[in-house]
Every structure is written in C-alpha cells, then in structure tokens.
C-alpha cells in the first residue's frame, strides 16, 4: 500500500486578524488541498519562536507579510533555515524584504545593513521607504524571460496587488546579484518586485502580495508553485512507503 507524506508548511509571522493577508492564507491552503490535491499541513510560527531548531522539520517556509516583525532575528532565521536546509521558501512583502536582508548580511558581507522601518537611524539602510507608497495599490510586473518566475507565472507580464511602503535600495543590486540573487520581476520604472536565489530548490520573494489576488477562491501561481515545491521537498526527505 502506498501512502503520501503530508508536507508541513511553516507560516512565519505575527498572526493578526487585522492583517488582511493573514485572514486570506488559511483559505488558500484549503484551496491548495481541495482544488489542487496537495497534501499540506500549515502551522503558524510567531517570529519570536522562529529558529533553526523549530523550522528544521518543515518542508516549506512562508515568511508572511506583517512587518515590522516582533522579532527581526526570527524572520531572518526563517530565511537562513530555508536557505541552508534546502526548504522551499516564499517571502511576500515583508518576507521579500527580509530575504534581501538575510542575503546581504549572511552572504554578501554586509552585516550592518538595516531595514529603515525597524531601524530608521541605521547608517546603511538596505530596505528604504518607497518614493510612492504602494499600500492598497496594484501595478504591472514584467518577468524576465527564462526565469523561474516567468515559468511559474506562465506570462511575461502580470498585474499584482501591494500593501507596502518599503523596498530595496537599488544601490545594493550588484552586491546581492554577485551572491546568487536574481532579480527577475520589475515594475514599469525598473524597480525590483521579484527575486529568486540560484542553486536552491525554490526560494522566491515578491514585494507584492500574491495572497491578495482575486477573491481567495483561486490560488496565485507563485503560491501554488511554492506549495508544490514543499511537497517535493517532503517527498525527497521521506519517500512514500509501500
């Protein structure tokens, strides 16, 4: 008899009924189960409880919106655990921002870069206020041909939903690219909106919030791809028993 292992997904962030994305995500997990046949169990992990030990057993880590997190160290630990342990990773909005911070500090030799929202007096802000806030806005994103993002989305251009006021300082793009980040989605002004990490099974960050797409009855392509990657990670860890 063949059994299928259920993939375990950590939703890392400080869950709140006042954060719209947090109220959407449980329903999206159900859609993934019911409409796409993906065997998933999702668990909320507060940022202050996120560390390598608590996350090592998960097949997927979704660093959800809601920054500033109660624990920046916990958010960064979630990124690091996914990167070092080969766990499927999706970071949306604040998750994208902390993916940038983690790569800059851990890989690019920039330990003193900061997020201006949580450290407004820091001397080297990597994540800075956007020239125009994107809270409640939508915008077009163009995806690089041949990238993972383009394959996942299935199109070269998409309109996405935002709820953020901070983004990446473009001055740091060369340093981040030199250490494996690929910036594969941009808005019409050339600002980064999607990033992915080379050499990892699935490590993607989006400044937009794909969980806000539509009415919640269908799952955005990047969320589905993340869930499928988590299932694949789980299957590789523990092959189905016969």
């Amino acid at each position: 008899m063949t059994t299928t292992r259920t993939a375990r997904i950590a939703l890392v962030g400080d869950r709140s009924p006042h954060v719209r994305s947090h109220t959407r995500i449980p329903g999206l997990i159900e859609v993934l189960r019911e409409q796409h046949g993906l065997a998933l169990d999702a668990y909320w992990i507060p940022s202050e409880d996120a560390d390598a030990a608590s996350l090592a057993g998960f097949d997927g880590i979704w660093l959800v919106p809601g920054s500033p997190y109660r624990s920046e160290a916990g958010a960064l630990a979630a990124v690091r655990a996914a990167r070092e342990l080969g766990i499927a990773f999706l970071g949306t909005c604040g998750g994208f921002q902390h993916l940038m911070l983690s790569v800059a500090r851990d890989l690019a030799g920039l330990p003193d870069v900061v997020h201006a929202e949580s450290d407004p007096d820091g001397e080297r802000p990597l994540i800075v206020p956007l020239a125009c806030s994107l809270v409640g806005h939508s915008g077009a994103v163009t995806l690089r041909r041949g990238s993972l993002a383009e394959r996942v989305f299935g199109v070269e251009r998409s309109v996405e939903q935002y709820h953020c006021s901070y983004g990446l300082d473009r001055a740091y793009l060369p340093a981040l690219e030199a250490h494996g980040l690929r910036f594969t989605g941009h808005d019409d002004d050339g600002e980064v909106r999607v990033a992915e990490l080379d050499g990892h099974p699935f490590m993607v960050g989006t400044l937009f919030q794909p969980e806000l797409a539509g009415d919640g009855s269908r799952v955005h392509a990047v969320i589905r791809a993340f869930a499928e990657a988590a299932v694949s990670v789980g299957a590789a860890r523990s092959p189905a028993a016969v």
Side-chain angles (χ1 to χ4, degrees):
M1 176 179 174
T2 301
T3 59
T4 302
R5 181 184 186 276
T6 298
R8 300 176 73 244
I9 292 177
L11 304 172
V12 178
D14 307 314
R15 190 176 188 180
S16 168
H18 305 297
V19 177
R20 186 174 170 221
S21 63
H22 295 183
T23 65
R24 273 288 188 96
I25 288 171
L28 297 176
I29 298 295
E30 283 301 313
V31 172
L32 288 165
R33 292 190 190 111
E34 296 175 4
Q35 294 185 16
H36 301 290
L38 298 174
L40 305 170
D41 278 341
Y43 303 83
W44 287 88
I45 309 293
S47 61
E48 62 262 46
D49 293 340
D51 56 29
S54 65
L55 296 172
F58 285 94
D59 307 304
I61 296 172
W62 184 349
L63 186 53
V64 302
S67 63
Y69 300 106
R70 290 198 296 262
S71 172
E72 180 179 273
L76 294 174
V79 180
R80 189 178 308 113
R83 190 182 73 244
E84 294 179 349
L85 300 176
I87 299 169
F89 177 87
L90 177 63
T92 57
C93 195
F96 168 93
Q97 296 161 8
H98 286 74
L99 171 60
M100 301 299 103
L101 275 179
S102 178
V103 172
R105 291 180 181 179
D106 293 348
L107 301 182
L110 300 169
D112 55 344
V113 294
V114 301
H115 192 309
E117 184 177 29
S118 55
D119 189 355
D121 298 322
E123 294 184 1
R124 298 188 70 183
L126 177 80
I127 305 300
V128 297
L130 296 171
C132 296
S133 171
L134 291 171
V135 172
H137 287 256
S138 62
V141 176
T142 300
L143 303 163
R144 182 184 299 176
R145 288 187 179 183
S147 66
L148 170 63
E150 190 218 18
R151 295 196 301 274
V152 164
F153 282 61
V155 296
E156 290 185 18
R157 188 172 172 86
S158 178
V159 175
E160 303 295 344
Q161 304 296 313
Y162 293 87
H163 196 83
C164 65
S165 300
Y166 290 82
L168 178 65
D169 184 337
R170 296 175 68 176
Y172 290 97
L173 288 175
L176 296 175
E177 287 180 316
H179 290 84
L181 272 180
R182 296 291 172 259
F183 299 104
T184 55
H186 298 80
D187 72 1
D188 289 342
D189 295 322
E191 297 294 339
V192 172
R193 297 296 181 252
V194 182
E196 54 196 65
L197 187 67
D198 273 353
H200 190 279
F202 188 96
M203 197 158 199
V204 174
T206 69
L207 189 64
F208 55 84
Q209 294 191 12
E211 60 273 12
L212 299 183
D215 62 3
S217 62
R218 300 178 64 185
V219 175
H220 190 289
V222 76
I223 298 174
R224 179 179 176 182
F226 160 68
E228 291 172 340
V231 169
S232 296
V233 168
R237 285 178 164 183
S238 179
V242 179

